[in-house]
Amino acid sequence: MRRTLLLIPIMSGLIATACASGPSPQALERNQIPAVTTTTEPPPEGVIVVVISNGRFAPSNLSLNLETHWIVRWENQDPPREYVITERTGEFESPVLAPGDSFEVDFSELPEALYRYNTEIGNQRIPGLIDTRPSR
């Protein structure tokens, strides 16, 4: 019982400290927006985002309904690596995507088909697939 009573003031102090914490005076003086925030915005209409993270695509397989989504944007969110995305038949290829870079393809300008793409990490090939055929 005594242990519980002793923990109550300690926990209250920790909670009060955590709730009262905020930016440092130096950060307030700089008056700059943080480089990283937790706020995310949805992609624009017609765009599906494929995230490259931890050496994989997410999602890796897409079925596009070109009436609702016609652009695919790949975003490199894998800090240690750079990627080049290549479609198997040569329909599209990205420039080198450094961490934070993105690349878009407008599939409304391409024939309706099955597009297999990949990127490589060393000798490992990372595959992805986009199906724009209406009769899946």
Side-chain angles (χ1 to χ4, degrees):
M1 185 67 147
R2 284 186 177 175
R3 289 183 185 169
T4 305
L5 293 176
L6 288 175
L7 287 177
I8 291 174
I10 293 171
M11 295 302 291
S12 298
L14 289 173
I15 291 171
T17 303
C19 292
S21 66
S24 67
Q26 294 82 9
L28 292 172
E29 285 178 24
R30 287 192 305 265
N31 196 26
Q32 291 179 338
I33 297 174
V36 177
T37 63
T38 56
T39 306
T40 58
E41 293 181 21
E45 180 183 356
V47 177
I48 291 183
V49 176
V50 175
V51 174
I52 308 167
S53 179
N54 201 22
R56 64 185 180 96
F57 296 112
S60 60
N61 295 324
L62 288 174
S63 292
L64 287 186
N65 177 347
L66 294 177
E67 293 178 12
T68 58
H69 296 95
W70 53 92
I71 295 174
V72 175
R73 177 189 304 153
W74 287 268
E75 294 181 354
N76 182 359
Q77 296 180 7
D78 200 355
R81 299 183 182 105
E82 296 180 339
Y83 294 95
V84 174
I85 299 165
T86 306
E87 198 274 329
R88 184 178 71 180
T89 63
E91 287 289 341
F92 59 86
E93 182 171 311
S94 75
V96 174
L97 299 176
D101 288 351
S102 64
F103 169 69
E104 291 184 354
V105 173
D106 186 344
F107 284 90
S108 67
E109 299 175 355
L110 298 174
E112 293 175 346
L114 191 64
Y115 295 95
R116 298 177 192 278
Y117 64 91
N118 66 70
T119 191
E120 295 179 2
I121 300 175
N123 293 331
Q124 183 180 2
R125 181 173 289 180
I126 313 300
L129 178 116
I130 297 174
D131 189 354
T132 62
R133 300 171 299 175
S135 60
R136 298 179 255 279

